[in-house]
Amino acid sequence: MNKIIITRMGGGILTALTNGLRVIQLNMEEGKSRSLLGNIYIGKVKNIVPNINAAFIDLGGGQTAYYSLTENRTHLFADGKQKRLCQGDEIIVQVSRDAVKTKDPVVTGCLSFAGRFCVVTAGRRQIGFSSKIPQGEWRQELRCLLGQEKADNLGVIVRTNAFHEDFSQILEEFTHLKEEYRRIVSDAAHRTCYTMLYEGIPSYLGSLRDTYRDFMEEIITDDKDIFHEIQEYLGRHQPEDQGKVRLYEDPLLPLSKLYSLEKAMDDALQRHVWLKSGGYLIIDVTEAMTVIDVNSGKYTGRKNLRDTIKKINLEAAVEVAYQLRLRNLSGIIVVDFIDMECSEDQEELMQLLSDCCKKDPIKTTVVDITMLGLVEITRKKTRKPFREQIEEGVHKT
């Protein structure tokens, strides 16, 4: 069965997604200090830096955030007035990306509110659909209905989980998210600077909302407080999934041992990853990008050289896509596969890699092969890489 496992480990809360017996995704959230992702604040413009076309926003409590003026051409001023952005102005911003290493968190004025079926966006007025929802009558009919309900200053993105859902449920959620946006903007006019207007949900609840419905067959936790929180959340937002929640209560075998979560965590932190064929990957994460090197290793197949290289590279392509999701690696990823001279083999490799990356719920794009034979991949940045989540937790402990 496909399961979401939530348990407390090392002072934090670990969320693991399993596909059969294999853990395919990990996220560690600190028990005391939550991620800022999704939070909405009244921030103050600390300074504007013209040469990078950006501003830095003071969120209070010593936290500064990066605010791109290229992506944010209009601003949500707390007093509701429109004017030229200046130092000292108070604006409404949402954390769109967690702090990563030495980089500040990123904030945006294009507020977004995610539900199970759709995401309401302020500042982006289009009606969009998940790329996993095919073109057809269902999509066109929903587009027309949303167009009738959509406010002029808001947009909406229909998520994969909405496909084939009743239109009434999608529209009901859409209306609720619109009202949430209006309430927050209205409240801002009467609140002081640095106020948090909206708090994003914990990542373990976010995983329940964001996981594909067909994937999530069971939700297991061994913590009573988390169990009750999950039940309450699902009762309000996903009542159809309440029957999937189970409280694990076996004192003789901890949940983490039952699903080998310590081993999965250890594997996700290793630089060296073995392939079944005897080949292996070397994964190095730098400030600028992630570099993955594919090596033939112990493979001693009896096939000719071309077939040997092709077999290792195809196996490596599947493993690369898996490791990106398991470790939550994002940004620019460069993969150095073993050189292949045959263009047909290269095309087969790129197609397999693209197909595997499309299964990732976080947008992952296989860009191209460079002149040097390196494969470029990009993966959208949201939360911190798993290694950084663990390292920060250990440091604070």
Side-chain angles (χ1 to χ4, degrees):
M1 292 180 67
N2 300 321
K3 302 176 183 180
I4 297 178
I5 301 162
I6 304 171
T7 186
R8 294 187 187 273
M9 291 183 67
I13 300 174
L14 178 72
T15 303
L17 274 65
T18 66
N19 186 356
L21 297 176
R22 195 179 197 194
V23 175
I24 62 172
Q25 184 174 312
L26 291 166
N27 187 75
M28 178 69 82
E29 184 167 42
E30 294 175 44
K32 296 181 179 179
S33 57
R34 291 237 317 257
S35 164
L36 302 180
L37 193 64
N39 292 359
I40 298 176
Y41 299 90
I42 300 177
K44 180 178 289 187
V45 179
K46 187 175 181 180
N47 61 317
I48 298 173
V49 187
N51 62 336
I52 60 171
N53 202 29
F56 288 90
I57 310 298
D58 185 0
L59 302 180
Q63 180 65 68
T64 301
Y66 175 87
Y67 180 76
S68 170
L69 298 177
T70 302
E71 297 179 4
N72 296 277
R73 298 183 182 277
T74 58
H75 317 288
L76 274 173
F77 291 94
D79 59 10
K81 299 177 181 179
Q82 283 300 315
K83 54 188 175 180
R84 181 173 173 269
L85 189 69
C86 297
Q87 184 175 346
D89 283 340
E90 296 179 9
I91 60 175
I92 305 171
V93 291
Q94 183 174 36
V95 180
S96 59
R97 188 187 304 167
D98 264 331
V100 177
K101 293 185 179 178
T102 59
K103 296 180 180 178
D104 289 326
V106 176
V107 294
T108 178
C110 299
L111 309 186
S112 65
F113 299 85
R116 181 73 161 154
F117 305 128
C118 60
V119 180
V120 168
T121 60
R124 299 182 180 126
R125 303 178 182 181
Q126 299 88 348
I127 297 176
F129 286 80
S130 163
S131 60
K132 294 179 174 64
I133 298 179
Q135 297 282 353
E137 291 184 8
W138 185 91
R139 180 163 164 166
Q140 189 57 40
E141 187 175 350
L142 180 58
R143 181 184 292 276
C144 293
L145 292 172
L146 290 171
Q148 295 169 13
E149 299 290 331
K150 187 176 75 67
D152 290 340
N153 63 329
L154 297 176
V156 60
I157 300 169
V158 180
R159 310 187 74 183
T160 304
N161 278 323
F163 192 38
H164 289 320
E165 195 62 50
D166 289 340
F167 290 149
S168 59
Q169 286 189 276
I170 300 171
L171 293 174
E172 181 181 351
E173 182 181 87
F174 180 49
T175 299
H176 168 74
L177 295 174
K178 284 192 301 181
E179 290 173 351
E180 186 81 0
Y181 163 75
R182 288 169 179 152
R183 179 188 64 78
I184 287 171
V185 174
S186 176
D187 285 352
H190 311 288
R191 307 294 290 273
T192 59
C193 190
Y194 309 131
T195 297
M196 182 170 65
L197 301 171
Y198 174 85
E199 185 174 18
I201 62 175
S203 62
Y204 52 90
L205 294 182
S207 67
L208 308 183
R209 179 195 65 197
D210 299 336
T211 301
Y212 297 150
R213 174 173 293 182
D214 293 340
F215 177 91
M216 189 169 63
E217 299 177 74
E218 190 173 20
I219 305 161
I220 307 173
T221 182
D222 56 357
D223 186 282
K224 290 184 178 180
D225 291 338
I226 293 176
F227 174 78
H228 293 307
E229 190 176 4
I230 291 172
Q231 286 280 35
E232 181 183 354
Y233 175 81
L234 294 179
R236 285 187 284 115
H237 300 286
Q238 297 170 220
E240 69 279 4
D241 290 325
Q242 278 188 295
K244 299 178 181 179
V245 188
R246 178 163 67 92
L247 179 63
Y248 182 82
E249 296 182 289
D250 187 346
L252 300 179
L253 182 62
L255 189 60
S256 60
K257 297 292 185 184
L258 179 63
Y259 289 98
S260 303
L261 298 184
E262 289 96 341
K263 183 180 185 306
M265 292 171 62
D266 183 62
D267 289 345
L269 300 175
Q270 295 298 319
R271 178 173 179 255
H272 197 122
V273 179
W274 283 105
L275 304 175
K276 291 181 180 179
S277 65
Y280 61 92
L281 309 180
I282 295 294
I283 303 176
D284 288 315
V285 181
T286 72
E287 189 79 17
M289 68 182 70
T290 296
V291 180
I292 303 177
D293 187 35
V294 181
N295 296 276
S296 58
K298 299 177 181 178
Y299 183 77
T300 57
R302 296 181 179 179
K303 297 181 179 181
N304 60 43
L305 182 59
R306 173 186 168 185
D307 290 342
T308 296
I309 292 172
K310 179 180 174 181
K311 176 179 173 62
I312 295 171
N313 278 342
L314 292 178
E315 186 182 354
V318 176
E319 188 65 26
V320 164
Y322 167 76
Q323 291 292 332
L324 295 184
R325 183 176 181 185
L326 177 70
R327 299 166 184 245
N328 194 31
L329 301 174
S330 57
I332 300 171
I333 299 110
V334 175
V335 186
D336 185 9
F337 288 98
I338 303 172
D339 291 339
M340 295 190 296
E341 295 182 1
C342 179
S343 60
E344 292 179 0
D345 292 349
Q346 286 187 356
E347 290 173 6
E348 185 177 350
L349 173 65
M350 293 295 283
Q351 185 61 55
L352 177 62
L353 182 60
S354 296
D355 291 343
C356 292
C357 287
K358 285 177 182 176
K359 297 176 184 178
D360 195 328
I362 293 178
K363 185 177 180 180
T364 306
T365 304
V366 178
V367 181
D368 205 350
I369 300 179
T370 70
M371 294 292 289
L372 296 176
L374 305 174
V375 176
E376 296 176 320
I377 303 172
T378 62
R379 190 169 185 266
K380 184 179 178 181
K381 291 183 178 180
T382 49
R383 298 189 182 276
K384 299 174 183 177
F386 183 68
R387 173 178 287 278
E388 194 167 331
Q389 296 171 16
I390 296 295
E391 288 175 349
E392 284 198 356
V394 170
H395 177 72
K396 290 183 179 180
T397 301

